[in-house]
Amino acid sequence: MLKMLATQLTGTFQRINEKETLHIEDAARALAQAIVGEGHIYVWGTGEMKSLIHEVEEGPETLPKQHVYNEDISLSSIDRVIIASRFANDEEALALVNTVQKQGAQVIQISALTKEENPLQEVADFHIDTKTAGPLLPFDMDRIGFPSVIAMFYVYMAIYVTTKEIIDEYE
């Protein structure tokens, strides 16, 4: 079962690489602009994706000028906000995207597309699909192993690495 899980996760990462690389690069350029300018980067997550907040607060690698978002922060067009949710139809994330964009900040949204409507993909300035719409492994009469957080962290690390590369070239 572990080998199947590793194979499925590897396949998810490969799909992200194949289909989302340009979106990741665009998002990283937007973040780099905020870093080398006078902007800030804020992060927020809904549901289990709140783990991104812990990564920013306590993880060993964060981007310069990166903070946890809260509603008391006043944003502007030079700021960027990374919002993570399980799916691209998350109502809480959609409300936050609208609030942030009304203040002029750009939104990088990380979530999986669904077979239904995906309003976050349409309204976010940059949307990156985690390619994790459901559990990966068959188990009895069910499926288990929904790696939404793992895929989100993979996307976040891809954005992080790409942003660091862009900043390094700038300096």
Side-chain angles (χ1 to χ4, degrees):
M1 192 69 99
L2 287 178
K3 188 171 184 168
M4 283 176 52
L5 177 61
T7 300
Q8 291 294 329
L9 285 173
T10 300
T12 299
F13 297 159
Q14 287 174 342
R15 283 190 299 283
I16 292 168
N17 282 335
E18 291 169 6
K19 304 287 185 183
E20 302 300 313
T21 298
L22 293 177
H23 299 281
I24 290 167
E25 290 172 358
D26 289 344
R29 276 192 286 283
L31 294 175
Q33 288 172 348
I35 292 167
V36 299
E38 295 186 24
H40 293 276
I41 299 167
Y42 298 95
V43 300
W44 189 253
T46 65
E48 74 274 20
M49 301 305 200
K50 288 181 181 171
S51 56
L52 180 58
I53 295 168
H54 298 294
E55 178 69 19
V56 169
E57 290 180 322
E58 301 185 32
E61 296 181 311
T62 60
L63 292 168
K65 301 181 180 183
Q66 190 171 40
H67 314 281
V68 175
Y69 174 81
N70 71 61
E71 57 192 34
D72 297 330
I73 294 171
S74 180
L75 300 169
S76 72
S77 62
I78 58 176
D79 296 318
R80 309 294 183 256
V81 181
I82 301 170
I83 301 171
S85 60
R86 182 185 301 171
F87 295 121
N89 60 5
D90 183 289
E91 292 296 324
E92 181 184 351
L94 184 59
L96 181 56
V97 168
N98 290 328
T99 299
V100 165
Q101 288 178 331
K102 283 179 185 171
Q103 295 181 49
Q106 289 186 319
V107 174
I108 297 158
Q109 215 283 323
I110 303 170
S111 61
L113 296 178
T114 67
K115 292 180 181 176
E116 294 85 41
E117 292 184 20
N118 296 289
L120 288 166
Q121 179 190 29
E122 297 167 18
V123 299
D125 298 285
F126 309 94
H127 179 267
I128 302 160
D129 183 2
T130 62
K131 308 294 185 192
T132 53
L136 300 177
L137 303 173
F139 188 80
D140 289 334
M141 300 299 288
D142 214 1
R143 293 188 73 78
I144 61 171
F146 197 128
S148 55
V149 173
I150 295 170
M152 180 270 299
F153 275 127
Y154 180 78
V155 167
Y156 174 76
M157 289 308 298
I159 293 170
Y160 172 84
V161 168
T162 306
T163 304
K164 294 292 271 184
E165 286 177 333
I166 292 168
I167 293 170
D168 188 54
E169 289 174 11
Y170 180 78
E171 294 174 338

